[in-house]
Amino acid sequence: MTPAHHSPSAAGSAGVDRRRLLTGALAAALALPAAGAAPAFARSGRPAARWGVQAGDAGADGGLVWVRSDRPARMVVETSATEAFRNPRRFPGPLLGPGTDFTGTTRLRGLPSGQQIHYRVLLADPDDPRRGGEPVTGTFRTTSTRRRDVRFTWSGDIAGQGWGINPERGGYRVFDEMASLDPDFFLCSGDTIYADNPIEPRVTLADGRIWRNITTEEKAKVAETLDEFRGNFRYNLLDEPLRRFNARVPWVVQWDDHEVHNNWYPGQLLDDDRYTEKRADVLADRALRAFGEYFPVSTLPARTADRAGRVYRVLRHGPLLDVFVLDMRSHRRPNSPGREADDTVGILGAEQLAWLKRELSRSRAVWKVIASDMPLGLVVLDADKHAEAVAQGDPGAPLGRELQIAELLRHIKDRRITGTLWLTADVHYTSAQHYRPERAAFRDFAPFWEFVTGPLAAGGFPAVGLDATFGPDQVFVRAPDRANVSPAESPQYFGAVDIDAGSGELTVRLRAEGGLTLFRKTLQPGLVGQ
């Protein structure tokens, strides 16, 4: 989400030479081939994984491991209980080629639960398996089938509003801070790239300082082609802190609008002069294909020809936690003033809503985190002042997309589903809202909490208003007082969640870059109305 009164490219006005592939020492060291083709120097030598490794959607017996090669290669993953890799277990992977932009994901199965898994990715010449590159190592923890302490972090919004990788600042250094907490996983709440926000080499800040970005050819314009979307995902992997984080912490990732275009919805025709391709559905198909190529997502395998799979899914982390990952972008009805008295499509679509109700009813986890890519009670509007999220600003009975959320909240109450809380990002500030029926126009639900954080590497924005339909009380908020405040002027935000194995207590901390805890709330298992 970029607020309606902001241009996505408002961060600066300096021109970009789009013939220059990369600027900056780090970019030169990781010089990328043109998307969809191996670089000229790949005709000799051995395959290399210059973009690091990443794990995702870890479970009790394994997970997914991702890599990108700099040329055609066969992917193999080896796992071990220690860094020594004595007697490793071997998992054959796919052939990496131009059909997936030389990316690949290998599923690991049959691993011990609740254990630290060390892995290394080997890339071999497909014509001569003896010619292999240097292995690239990583680690992740499988989930435990027994009660065990759980810790994870969450946030979203990377490379937004023109604030890209700034080597003088240490790049996306907030990832090093999150890694220092040793989380079991990282929940990325969307806007993983800003495909509609070009990155310029330099931006002048309000106080006259210069912000210097690494940039690439694909990041010098809005993304329209598949190759340009791929280049947006590769851009973030130029960042050293992010690559270090990827090698240590598995992701649970969802998407939102900026993987495609600000505030997009299915069927939309863009009113944006920067685009020659105006059909949001065409752009979304290309973006989702690149998303599946560049993130290890269990329900969205990389495809060479179609948009197979889906983003929404549930990840189970033992008896204490289930994470329900939503997709509030792909299945929504078009943005509108949000005053419809009957809306079965809403923001989730009928099929996803039925899935969510079914899976919440089946869950036996103490805590059920609903990972939402947009907030519930914050009034987020698009450029036409239409509802972009759920709330539309009318404090009365549910209308428009609120009808679907009301149905879900009623289901949670009627089925006596305990331990639900909502985590999101999107609005580029951090806050905590407690929802109670006594304050609400719609009262057929049980009290719950919603926690908001972010951005990780983007502009900060002022707080928006609240919609009283579901009775939110904003008990904490920290936001800039002006729009598009750079990461050099305002800290970046993320959240941390700890679940204690003994008591079952869940503690949420809203944190600011620099080691600061801004807000803390501890929730007791099984209680209603806390």
Side-chain angles (χ1 to χ4, degrees):
M1 186 278 297
T2 299
H5 56 278
H6 263 291
S7 164
S9 58
S13 59
V16 179
D17 179 359
R18 283 158 51 183
R19 291 172 295 179
R20 179 172 58 246
L21 287 179
L22 299 168
T23 62
L26 173 61
L30 287 172
L32 302 178
F41 60 77
R43 295 172 185 169
S44 61
R46 299 171 183 268
R50 298 169 180 265
W51 293 264
V53 290
Q54 182 181 7
D57 285 11
D61 73 338
L64 303 174
V65 169
W66 173 95
V67 76
R68 184 179 195 262
S69 178
D70 64 352
R71 68 201 71 196
R74 173 67 66 181
M75 177 184 183
V76 174
V77 181
E78 292 183 341
T79 64
S80 173
T82 69
E83 295 177 271
F85 283 94
R86 296 187 180 92
N87 301 315
R89 184 172 175 184
R90 193 173 179 89
F91 294 85
L95 179 65
L96 312 184
T100 58
D101 200 30
F102 303 95
T103 67
T105 297
T106 297
R107 183 181 294 275
L108 312 183
R109 301 180 188 272
L111 299 176
S113 66
Q115 298 294 316
Q116 193 76 31
I117 304 298
H118 296 270
Y119 68 88
R120 60 187 178 193
V121 177
L122 311 173
L123 298 176
D125 187 320
D127 298 321
D128 184 359
R130 295 170 298 178
R131 293 181 56 80
E134 289 293 322
V136 183
T137 60
T139 186
F140 70 93
R141 281 190 289 275
T142 53
T143 63
S144 178
T145 57
R146 301 179 179 181
R147 288 177 74 105
R148 189 198 73 181
D149 291 350
V150 178
R151 170 178 289 174
F152 68 93
T153 59
W154 97 94
S155 191
D157 309 296
I158 305 170
Q161 291 75 50
W163 310 113
I165 302 168
N166 184 345
E168 295 175 354
R169 192 174 181 271
Y172 301 155
R173 62 191 189 191
V174 68
F175 281 98
D176 281 336
E177 189 167 328
M178 286 198 296
S180 71
L181 300 178
D182 191 27
D184 293 300
F185 64 93
F186 168 58
L187 169 61
C188 187
S189 301
D191 291 341
T192 56
I193 60 170
Y194 275 71
D196 56 335
N197 281 198
I199 297 292
E200 300 178 349
R202 50 185 284 150
V203 181
T204 302
L205 304 181
D207 60 6
R209 287 180 294 164
I210 301 299
W211 174 285
R212 291 181 172 84
N213 286 312
I214 291 173
T215 190
T216 68
E217 183 177 18
E218 293 90 351
K219 283 301 297 181
K221 68 176 291 291
V222 297
E224 299 179 82
T225 68
L226 176 59
D227 288 346
E228 288 166 349
F229 282 108
R230 288 166 166 171
N232 273 254
F233 287 101
R234 284 200 305 276
Y235 175 79
N236 286 336
L237 296 175
L238 294 174
D239 183 66
E240 291 183 9
L242 178 55
R243 293 199 311 277
R244 286 194 295 265
F245 184 82
N246 285 351
R248 292 181 56 184
V249 182
W251 286 49
V252 174
V253 65
Q254 60 194 139
W255 79 339
D256 191 31
D257 57 336
H258 286 289
E259 282 81 5
V260 181
H261 182 274
N262 188 38
N263 300 337
W264 78 274
Y265 51 82
Q268 183 185 29
L269 295 178
L270 303 185
D271 181 16
D272 189 329
D273 292 339
R274 300 175 300 167
Y275 286 80
T276 57
E277 176 54 74
K278 305 290 188 180
R279 295 168 296 175
D281 289 352
V282 173
L283 297 173
D285 283 345
R286 294 167 181 169
L288 188 60
R289 176 170 167 179
F291 183 88
E293 291 171 347
Y294 274 85
F295 284 115
V297 177
S298 56
T299 55
L300 195 66
R303 299 291 186 187
T304 59
D306 59 57
R307 179 181 169 176
R310 53 182 168 83
V311 174
Y312 67 85
R313 62 203 187 278
V314 58
L315 284 305
R316 307 194 186 279
H317 292 266
L320 290 176
L321 175 65
D322 284 347
V323 180
F324 300 85
V325 181
L326 303 188
D327 179 358
M328 289 182 158
R329 189 57 55 180
S330 306
H331 311 285
R332 63 168 54 196
R333 64 171 295 147
N335 290 358
S336 75
R339 301 300 195 269
E340 298 85 1
D342 183 19
D343 185 356
T344 58
V345 175
I347 199 165
L348 298 173
E351 182 177 335
Q352 183 177 189
L353 176 61
W355 165 86
L356 180 57
K357 291 164 65 175
R358 181 174 64 250
E359 293 298 330
L360 282 168
S361 298
R362 290 175 176 173
S363 175
R364 296 297 175 263
V366 174
W367 295 101
K368 303 157 189 72
V369 165
I370 301 175
S372 172
D373 42 304
M374 302 207 77
L376 297 185
L378 306 186
V379 182
V380 183
L381 304 178
D382 65 16
D384 296 320
K385 305 301 183 184
H386 291 170
E388 159 63 5
V390 175
Q392 84 290 67
D394 180 344
L399 294 171
R401 292 170 180 160
E402 294 172 338
L403 292 163
Q404 214 175 45
I405 300 304
E407 181 181 344
L408 174 63
L409 296 179
R410 182 187 294 113
H411 173 84
I412 291 171
K413 174 179 174 286
D414 290 348
R415 296 298 180 95
R416 299 179 181 178
I417 300 169
T418 60
T420 62
L421 69 153
W422 295 67
L423 301 182
T424 189
D426 183 68
V427 290
H428 296 233
Y429 63 86
T430 185
S431 69
Q433 288 78 236
H434 187 225
Y435 294 78
R436 289 191 67 90
E438 294 85 350
R439 294 187 294 262
F442 172 79
R443 298 189 173 188
D444 195 9
F445 71 96
F448 65 95
W449 283 87
E450 174 187 50
F451 300 97
V452 181
T453 192
L456 280 175
F461 286 85
V464 299
L466 292 177
D467 186 312
T469 297
F470 300 116
D473 176 27
Q474 193 164 71
V475 299
F476 173 79
V477 62
R478 179 71 60 87
D481 58 5
R482 60 185 174 86
N484 198 18
V485 177
S486 77
E489 301 165 281
S490 178
Q492 304 294 274
Y493 299 121
F494 67 95
V497 177
D498 286 275
I499 306 176
D500 181 77
S503 66
E505 290 181 343
L506 181 147
T507 299
V508 178
R509 292 175 177 85
L510 299 179
R511 299 175 60 109
E513 181 183 16
L516 300 176
T517 296
L518 305 175
F519 176 82
R520 170 178 171 162
K521 179 65 182 180
T522 297
L523 305 178
Q524 303 298 322
L527 295 184
V528 176
Q530 57 189 318

